[in-house]
Amino acid sequence: MIQSYIRDIPDFPKKGIIFKDITPLLQSPEGLQMAIKGLAQVVDPASYDVVVGIESRGFIFGTAVAHHLKKGFVPIRKPGKLPSKTASEAYELEYGTDKIEIHLDAVRPGQGVLLIDDLLATGGTMSAALNLVRRIGGRPVACAFVIELSFLEGRKRLGDVAVHSLMKV
Ligand code: AMP
């Protein structure tokens, strides 16, 4: 069970938030295998070409899934980190806004994309990531998360793309 490897940290990074800590999952050989295999199985690997992961915990899972399935990996990063030409997308946070970026040439036109992050909360981050992938010509096939905070109804913000999670809270 993925659940048994996720640790709740109350009031981190601020009061009132229950942070879902994935480090016990990463630390466990069985837990890590379960997570990577689970994410690799959410959709038929033949239906997409590239795995996109969102900084920074999406890199851990996304790269492992890409390697497992012999796909390429594309990072979506925080502003100012990617060295070549980028597309950027702003999204709402609880207080203020944030931004994420992707290289313009990271995906070839029409390529199918699986997007991966560790956790779906309000869906703001993944919704911005989907916009980025579409803007550079990619075709999002599905989004996959280790954890979904389903009470926040983030999947409603992701439109008609398939949404998969290995565990729901
Ligand atoms: P959201 O854009 O609201 O769906 O938030 C998703 C992003 O914020 C993911 O990259 C998560 O890593 C992080 N995140 C949001 N809430 C939590 C939480 N309770 N525990 C751990 N990470 C979180």
Side-chain angles (χ1 to χ4, degrees):
M1 292 275 277
I2 294 280
Q3 277 91 328
S4 59
Y5 297 103
I6 305 297
R7 176 165 61 182
D8 282 1
I9 310 283
D11 300 321
F12 183 90
K14 57 184 177 197
K15 210 158 177 57
I17 305 278
I18 299 175
F19 191 85
K20 296 290 177 185
D21 180 15
I22 56 156
T23 62
L25 175 77
L26 300 176
Q27 216 175 318
S28 155
E30 300 78 23
L32 186 57
Q33 283 273 322
M34 207 187 298
I36 301 310
K37 284 189 180 161
L39 292 169
Q41 280 170 6
V42 296
V43 278
D44 178 4
S47 66
Y48 61 92
D49 307 285
V50 185
V51 178
V52 165
I54 306 173
E55 185 166 358
S56 57
R57 277 163 277 154
F59 292 177
I60 300 171
F61 296 105
T63 311
V65 169
H67 179 261
H68 185 72
L69 295 172
K70 300 189 168 66
K71 307 277 185 190
F73 175 79
V74 167
I76 284 184
R77 298 213 59 182
K78 302 276 165 62
K81 302 284 187 186
L82 289 169
S84 188
K85 286 187 183 146
T86 58
S88 82
E89 189 82 27
Y91 60 99
E92 300 290 319
L93 293 175
E94 203 176 342
Y95 304 109
T97 62
D98 208 348
K99 235 192 237 176
I100 48 175
E101 299 184 338
I102 195 168
H103 271 149
L104 291 181
D105 60 359
V107 174
R108 285 198 300 280
Q111 274 192 317
V113 175
L114 172 68
L115 294 96
I116 293 188
D117 203 357
D118 67 324
L119 183 143
L120 173 63
T122 66
T125 310
M126 187 54 84
S127 164
L130 286 166
N131 288 343
L132 283 180
V133 166
R134 290 191 178 108
R135 276 173 57 197
I136 65 165
R139 180 174 51 83
V141 166
C143 305
F145 304 89
V146 179
I147 307 161
E148 176 177 356
L149 303 183
S150 46
F151 58 93
L152 293 174
E153 301 189 321
R155 61 168 65 221
K156 284 190 180 164
R157 287 178 68 174
L158 305 182
D160 54 11
V161 70
V163 178
H164 301 275
S165 54
L166 303 184
M167 66 166 268
K168 289 188 170 72
V169 178

